[in-house]
Amino acid sequence: SSELTQDPAVSVALGQTVRITCQGDNLRKYYASWYQQKPGQAPVLVFHGTSNRPSGIPDRFSGSSSGNTASLTITGAQAEDEADYYCDSRDSSDESRDGSGNYWVFGGGTKLTVL
Amino acid sequence: QVQLVQPGSEVKKPGASVKASCKASGYTFTSYFMHWVRQAPGQGLEWMGIINPSSGRTTYAQRFQGRVTMTRDTSTSTVYMELSSLRSEDTAIYYCARGWGGFDLWGRGTLVTVSS
């Protein structure tokens, strides 16, 4: 199975731009999704792929992908963006859409500190 | 209201099994795949497996195969995850999450504590 690698910790000054990255071989084939998790709460999807921002997520969150690396960019980071961020992606697949033969994997997470 | 409802907590002894539930409401249950994801204390997220609520077909992460069973009850819009032969390392929050390209709806999780 594949692995997704994230930097354990990243910091950003209030109002500045920060990019959180996720590396893995399966990202050459499948898009990454990004989740924000605050202490004591369930994860929240903040972006999928390169163009899918769920309703209610601020437009300062954006995603991109190149080769084996996916990135989540926060443009103008706010204090409330301080959280853990996880990427995930499909791992291997037999391309079946009935759910069978499809595997997912999460990155180890990045703790974002807003200074 | 679109939501996934999970019980708050369970306590189990080593060697026992736990069957966590996740009740969906506010959307068509059979139209979305459901995943189980766990998070040990202070650790990251770990994908456990997927179930197709329409067909009942499942795929499990390799490290849980033989120990996990995911089922669904379409009459109550509920999915279940049973994990057997529990050990202390299985102490974690177990989340259900809906989706395929991004998990867009999560339950609040069930804290399973394995302790003698």
Side-chain angles (χ1 to χ4, degrees), chain A residues 30-57:
Chain A
Y30 300 111
Y31 282 129
S33 300
W34 293 93
Y35 305 88
Q36 177 192 72
Q37 187 180 35
K38 296 181 179 179
Q41 298 183 17
V44 173
L45 177 68
V46 295
F47 214 89
H48 169 70
T50 60
S51 60
N52 295 300
R53 184 184 310 105
S55 172
I57 302 301

Side-chain angles (χ1 to χ4, degrees), chain A residues 11-87:
Chain A
S11 61
V12 61
L14 184 68
Q16 296 303 301
T17 296
V18 63
R19 185 164 66 182
I20 299 169
T21 61
C22 175
Q23 287 189 303
D25 287 340
N26 51 323
L27 297 180
R28 297 183 186 278
K29 185 174 183 180
Y30 300 111
Y31 282 129
S33 300
W34 293 93
Y35 305 88
Q36 177 192 72
Q37 187 180 35
K38 296 181 179 179
Q41 298 183 17
V44 173
L45 177 68
V46 295
F47 214 89
H48 169 70
T50 60
S51 60
N52 295 300
R53 184 184 310 105
S55 172
I57 302 301
D59 61 6
R60 62 179 179 270
F61 290 88
S62 62
S64 60
S65 184
S66 178
N68 72 337
T69 302
S71 301
L72 175 72
T73 300
I74 307 174
T75 303
Q78 302 300 302
E80 60 264 32
D81 299 335
E82 186 163 290
D84 293 328
Y85 290 85
Y86 295 91
C87 62

Side-chain angles (χ1 to χ4, degrees), chain B residues 1-5 22-27 34 77 98 105-108:
Chain B
Q1 183 182 1
V2 178
Q3 61 181 353
L4 300 174
V5 177
C22 170
K23 182 174 175 60
S25 62
Y27 70 94
M34 199 75 80
S77 298
R98 179 188 82 169
L105 181 67
W106 292 67
R108 291 188 176 182

